[in-house]
Amino acid sequence: MAFKNFLHKLNNRYIYATLVFLAVFLLIDPFNLFKQIRLDKTLKDQKQQIEFYKQEISDSKELLDKLQNDTATMERVAREQYMMKRDNEVIYLIETQE
């Protein structure tokens, strides 16, 4: 008896209109729910990339400032990255296998 009342209440034009509206909203609309979720994920990824690059820029500016003002840092970078040496030195490179 209760089940028949439940089915009778579902047989209503407002319920049908609501179901059609939800179907259009979730599936058919150009800005549907799935596209919004995908765009939100893309936006979060882009914000993470922005933060990463802001950090990289600040690190690069700090290194540039040190290179312009500190001769020890300049010498360290020249030796490590560009394999530079003094006139009376011999450099031996030891490569390790990972």
Side-chain angles (χ1 to χ4, degrees), residues 74-87 89-95:
M74 187 185 316
E75 183 178 346
R76 181 183 54 83
V77 169
R79 287 173 176 273
E80 290 176 359
Q81 292 183 0
Y82 299 108
M83 305 300 172
M84 293 184 170
K85 64 180 185 81
R86 292 190 178 142
D87 291 335
E89 288 181 335
V90 177
I91 296 179
Y92 296 102
L93 295 178
I94 300 172
E95 294 182 7

Side-chain angles (χ1 to χ4, degrees), residues 21-77:
F21 173 75
L22 287 176
V24 168
F25 181 68
L26 294 176
L27 304 172
I28 300 171
D29 190 44
F31 299 104
N32 61 28
L33 182 65
F34 302 114
K35 188 172 186 177
Q36 292 297 324
I37 291 171
R38 187 176 47 229
L39 289 174
D40 188 49
K41 183 181 180 297
T42 305
L43 180 64
K44 287 179 183 176
D45 292 342
Q46 293 293 323
K47 285 182 179 180
Q48 287 177 350
Q49 282 186 347
I50 287 171
E51 291 301 317
F52 172 75
Y53 286 121
K54 281 183 180 179
Q55 183 64 38
E56 287 291 318
I57 288 170
S58 68
D59 292 345
S60 296
K61 284 182 180 180
E62 183 179 321
L63 180 62
L64 179 64
D65 184 50
K66 285 182 181 178
L67 285 173
Q68 289 175 344
N69 297 324
D70 188 17
T71 57
T73 305
M74 187 185 316
E75 183 178 346
R76 181 183 54 83
V77 169

